[in-house]
Every structure is written in structure tokens, then in C-alpha cells.
Amino acid sequence: MKKYETYKQAQERTGFCRSTLMKFDRKGITIHVGRAVRFDAEALDKALADEARKGDNDES
């Protein structure tokens, strides 16, 4: 079963601020229920890891 998190829960777990997490508000990572946004924890972790790897390649 998928685990969904609020912005606050995702911030506490990942250590990223809300504005950074907002960049990952896209299909497959978040779901919208009315005005509420929920992050798929597994998909968010994968997206953050992919972004970190991409950043590491840019520095080379």
C-alpha cells in the first residue's frame, strides 16, 4: 500500500523546505484532493535521488 504524506510530513522526513518540495508537485509524485496536496513518499524519494544524481553529473 502506498504511503502519502502532507507537505509538513514530507518536509520533516526529507529535510527539504516547502518551496523545494513544490518543484516536485507533478503527476506521479503528488495527488490533489481538493486543495490538499499529498506526496507519494516512494515516488518523492526516487525523484529526489534522480535530481541529486543529475546535479552530480552537472558538476563534472
Side-chain angles (χ1 to χ4, degrees), residues 7 9 13 16-18 21 28 32 39-40 43 45 48 56 58 60:
Y7 269 109
Q9 292 168 325
R13 188 177 60 79
F16 287 98
C17 66
R18 184 181 178 100
L21 292 173
H32 293 254
F39 289 91
D40 176 335
D45 289 344
L48 290 169
D56 289 344
D58 290 345
S60 298

Side-chain angles (χ1 to χ4, degrees), residues 20-55:
T20 298
L21 292 173
M22 288 175 81
K23 295 176 186 175
F24 294 93
D25 183 358
R26 56 184 177 253
K27 189 175 180 178
I29 298 174
T30 59
I31 60 169
H32 293 254
V33 182
R35 292 181 53 190
V37 177
R38 298 293 182 263
F39 289 91
D40 176 335
E42 187 177 314
L44 177 60
D45 289 344
K46 184 179 182 312
L48 290 169
D50 290 347
E51 190 71 19
R53 278 195 296 276
K54 184 176 127 185

